[in-house]
Amino acid sequence: MKVCVCGGTNPATNVKFTDSVRRIGELFCDNDIELIWGGNLYGVLAVIHQIYIERKKPNTLYLPKTYIDDLNGMTTDKVVILENIGERQNAMSRNSDAVVFVPGGIGTMYEFWASLEALRSGEINAKLFLYNFDGFFDKQIEFFDFINQNGFTKTGMGGSPYKIKPEDLFTVVDTPEALIKELMKLKK
């Protein structure tokens, strides 16, 4: 099973968030999940990637040309270079069975909303998960509810207005154990 993880890559990330994802990396490796990611040597993604390197588990890094310098000093199994951030997100989602969003910044929020639209419109089939450690994604979920309540959601391309529930598009989990339990349901 291939799982894309989208999350923060900032060296100034609060340690409570980097510590919170360490268990995700361990559980992924224990369950032979191939990592698809688009990070660097910093932040929450680097923590997960480091566990993959230590355990010699397969991982593929997707980078837009803009971030090519992030390869300096990095070890990874495979690198896919793409023209831009949008192409990177599309390629990661298309080549994964699931996409997990862990705490991150603007790029992570972009990836989340772009993936929601790609799933809603049928461009991807990957299952989407929010790792809502410490309520990190609460505001995104509230915003989704707000646009839904005000009639800004619809199903499919050109579809008629429909009240989409968050669980129709993504699953929210609060612990690494809950995440791996949901992912293992897909593996069957």
Side-chain angles (χ1 to χ4, degrees):
M1 168 185 271
K2 294 181 180 183
V3 176
C4 174
V5 180
C6 300
T9 58
N10 191 329
T13 301
N14 184 314
V15 71
K16 77 177 182 180
F17 293 106
T18 54
D19 286 349
S20 78
V21 300
R22 189 171 315 285
R23 184 76 178 132
I24 291 174
E26 293 167 352
L27 288 170
F28 278 22
C29 286
D30 291 346
N31 287 279
D32 295 319
I33 293 173
E34 184 175 336
L35 177 65
I36 304 295
W37 69 300
N40 58 26
L41 294 171
Y42 307 104
V44 296
L45 288 184
V47 170
I48 294 171
H49 176 250
Q50 186 57 41
I51 293 165
Y52 271 76
I53 295 303
E54 290 168 3
R55 294 190 182 190
K56 297 178 175 49
K57 294 291 187 173
N59 67 92
T60 303
L61 174 65
Y62 285 72
L63 276 181
K65 287 181 179 178
T66 303
Y67 296 143
I68 199 76
D69 288 345
D70 288 347
L71 284 173
N72 294 335
M74 189 180 297
T75 302
T76 193
D77 289 339
K78 182 179 175 185
V79 178
V80 178
I81 305 295
L82 298 137
E83 285 298 316
N84 57 55
I85 291 170
E87 284 184 18
R88 177 187 67 174
Q89 183 58 33
N90 289 335
M92 289 191 309
S93 296
R94 279 193 320 274
N95 291 304
S96 300
D97 300 300
V99 182
V100 176
F101 302 91
V102 298
I106 293 168
T108 305
M109 295 309 117
Y110 162 78
E111 290 167 335
F112 171 63
W113 288 100
S115 294
L116 278 181
E117 175 57 13
L119 180 64
R120 184 201 63 83
S121 66
E123 294 177 13
I124 65 169
N125 295 316
K127 182 79 173 150
L128 307 181
F129 295 90
L130 289 180
Y131 174 55
N132 198 28
F133 172 76
D134 200 28
F136 186 85
F137 287 102
D138 286 351
K139 296 293 183 188
Q140 296 300 310
I141 297 165
E142 287 174 26
F143 182 69
F144 184 89
D145 287 339
F146 176 79
I147 61 174
N148 192 26
Q149 291 167 6
N150 287 283
F152 289 103
T153 54
K154 61 183 178 178
T155 56
M157 298 284 286
S160 58
Y162 176 73
K163 299 295 184 189
I164 300 173
K165 298 178 204 137
E167 57 269 21
D168 293 337
L169 295 174
F170 57 91
T171 301
V172 179
V173 294
D174 296 326
T175 66
E177 290 75 18
L179 173 60
I180 200 70
K181 181 179 178 182
E182 291 297 320
L183 287 171
M184 290 301 99
K185 290 177 186 177
L186 302 176
K187 205 171 183 181
K188 294 177 182 179

